[in-house]
Amino acid sequence: MISRSTLIWLSRQEGLKDFATSFKIFKKLTTRFVAGETIDEAVKFIREINAEGASATFDHLNESVGSASEAEAEVLEYLNILSKIDDAGINSNVSIKLTQFGLGLDSELAYKNARKVVEEAHRRDNFVRVDMEDSSVTQITIDIFKRLRAEFGLNDVGIVLQSYLRRTYSDAEQLVKLPARIRICKGAYNEPPEVAFPDKKDVDANYVRVVQLLLSSGIYHGVATHDPKMIEATIDFAKREGIGKDKFEFQMLYGIRRDLQRQLARDGYNIRIYVPYGKHWYPYFMRRLAERPANVWFVMKNLFKG
Ligand SMILES: Cc1cc2nc3c(=O)[nH]c(=O)nc-3n(C[C@H](O)[C@H](O)[C@H](O)COP(=O)(O)OP(=O)(O)OC[C@H]3O[C@@H](n4cnc5c(N)ncnc54)[C@H](O)[C@@H]3O)c2cc1C
């Protein structure tokens, strides 16, 4: 069986990225985790989930861009998304990655680009979530987020923390003091044991600790997971502490545990679905395979079905 770390390693191979994205047959397989190549396909899906009581967060797939002009194109895409959300009257905010805005080229460029999107979201009364990438950019992502948060409101911009990182509990303690809206997730990259817990049970225990800290802060946070144990621990804690269902939201990814997404909506919980679209699906898609290597069999089966 192919391992999680091999799949994450493959997700970073530029040559494979170009190879995979140039073949129609691979594109077909991505529909399991990606809403489509165009913004309109994503809008169509968001309308469907809105009708079922879920909100969305839009993600234009592209990360680690190689030039300032590519980063600029990403800003324009996000300005377009924000306008589309209003025109279509759908319930969605947006998620961005700083490497998409040029973080790997120049951190000031990434800040300025992100700022343009947050400013537009603020103008439109919408919200920007800064996704968290691998640990080489954790600190700079938090620093840029803090600058944005100092200029804009609590409901304009938020950040993501990953429970597999040893530093996360302390980051969460600092960030809630700003205050800041946080999405907690487990973390999707390959990290060395010095920075991340190698054992799943420690990642999960840290997840629950951070959720309890977040929920106790009285700020509206996102609990991003498909893990029934994490969901149950969140619900139990909220009930125990008298924290209302409207005080936080669960978040899940497009294509994963749609049954659970619907169940939580029916049970009266706020649920937001992360809806990725675009041509640059390769690294995102490979990270989804890595989360559940059994998915590789699903992909292979469909590939040979033609
Ligand atoms: C809304 C959202 C935003 C995210 N943003 C970020 C981010 O900014 N940075 C980051 O590093 N990570 C992000 N992630 C990914 C996250 O870190 C995890 O890698 C991912 O959510 C899997 O962890 P889990 O909590 O579902 O638990 P796991 O223990 O990995 O999985 C629990 C169960 O969920 C199901 N499941 C999980 N993943 C899959 C899959 N790919 N295919 C099929 N079933 C699956 C399986 O039934 C599995 O048993 C995000 C996740 C979500 C839901």
Side-chain angles (χ1 to χ4, degrees):
M1 170 67 78
I2 190 160
S3 72
R4 174 182 184 275
S5 56
T6 307
L7 286 162
I8 294 180
W9 179 82
L10 286 170
S11 78
R12 307 193 87 113
Q13 303 311 304
E14 291 294 315
L16 279 175
K17 177 168 112 182
D18 295 341
F19 175 80
T21 40
S22 56
F23 284 97
K24 265 217 166 75
I25 187 157
F26 288 115
K27 262 184 228 161
K28 209 185 89 191
L29 301 175
T30 63
T31 55
R32 168 80 169 81
F33 296 118
V34 175
E37 281 208 355
T38 66
I39 193 168
D40 288 331
E41 287 167 285
V43 167
K44 183 170 173 281
F45 176 74
I46 292 173
R47 276 194 209 287
E48 279 170 36
I49 55 165
N50 282 174
E52 290 172 7
S55 58
T57 187
F58 245 110
D59 170 49
H60 183 243
L61 294 167
N62 203 358
E63 49 198 88
S64 310
V65 300
S67 68
S69 58
E70 210 183 331
E72 175 65 24
E74 290 302 313
V75 173
L76 295 178
E77 185 73 26
Y78 270 95
L79 299 183
N80 187 30
I81 293 173
L82 286 165
S83 138
K84 197 81 177 187
I85 291 171
D86 282 353
D87 293 348
I90 50 177
N91 180 354
S92 182
N93 61 33
V94 299
S95 289
I96 61 170
K97 286 188 172 53
L98 292 181
T99 65
Q100 176 167 34
F101 289 158
L103 187 61
L105 309 166
D106 169 11
S107 60
E108 200 55 26
L109 174 73
Y111 156 71
K112 285 185 183 147
N113 282 337
R115 193 186 183 288
K116 287 181 198 158
V117 178
V118 177
E119 192 172 34
E120 181 66 3
H122 168 77
R123 198 179 70 77
R124 291 181 178 276
D125 207 10
N126 208 320
F127 176 80
V128 177
R129 177 77 63 183
V130 182
D131 283 353
M132 189 56 82
E133 301 177 69
D134 69 72
S135 65
S136 69
V137 294
T138 306
Q139 190 56 52
I140 185 71
T141 302
I142 291 176
D143 292 345
I144 291 177
F145 166 73
K146 281 184 175 165
R147 281 175 78 182
L148 294 167
R149 178 63 191 88
E151 291 176 80
F152 296 94
L154 176 67
N155 293 322
D156 294 325
V157 61
I159 192 168
V160 178
L161 294 177
Q162 301 148 319
S163 74
Y164 65 10
L165 293 187
R166 294 179 188 276
R167 59 177 287 167
T168 285
Y169 190 83
S170 144
D171 286 336
E173 282 181 314
Q174 304 293 320
L175 286 164
V176 290
K177 285 187 195 140
L178 283 180
R181 281 173 59 179
I182 295 168
R183 170 200 297 152
I184 181 69
C185 66
K186 289 190 187 179
Y189 299 83
N190 265 348
E191 299 294 356
E194 307 82 76
V195 298
F197 300 109
D199 287 341
K200 187 172 160 42
K201 69 170 183 359
D202 296 323
V203 176
D204 290 357
N206 199 36
Y207 192 100
V208 174
R209 275 181 81 214
V210 176
V211 165
Q212 296 186 350
L213 170 78
L214 297 184
L215 262 53
S216 305
S217 71
I219 305 162
Y220 189 85
H221 297 291
V223 178
T225 185
H226 318 91
D227 186 342
K229 289 201 293 301
M230 301 300 105
I231 292 169
E232 205 182 299
T234 304
I235 291 176
D236 286 351
F237 180 76
K239 280 188 183 151
R240 217 163 50 233
E241 298 296 313
I243 297 164
K245 291 179 177 176
D246 58 333
K247 300 292 185 233
F248 63 95
E249 65 187 25
F250 286 110
Q251 300 185 350
M252 294 192 202
L253 299 176
Y254 173 91
I256 302 181
R257 295 299 314 264
R258 189 102 192 255
D259 56 331
L260 196 50
Q261 298 172 6
R262 289 184 171 126
Q263 186 58 53
L264 286 167
R266 277 198 299 271
D267 291 348
Y269 288 98
N270 290 340
I271 168 111
R272 185 177 300 279
I273 312 303
Y274 189 101
V275 182
Y277 79 96
K279 291 191 174 66
H280 302 285
W281 49 263
Y282 179 77
Y284 179 89
F285 179 74
M286 294 301 283
R287 287 198 297 275
R288 301 293 79 82
L289 293 189
E291 279 154 4
R292 196 163 170 260
N295 286 338
V296 173
W297 294 112
F298 160 86
V299 166
M300 297 303 274
K301 218 170 57 200
N302 284 286
L303 189 62
F304 292 115
K305 257 197 232 156

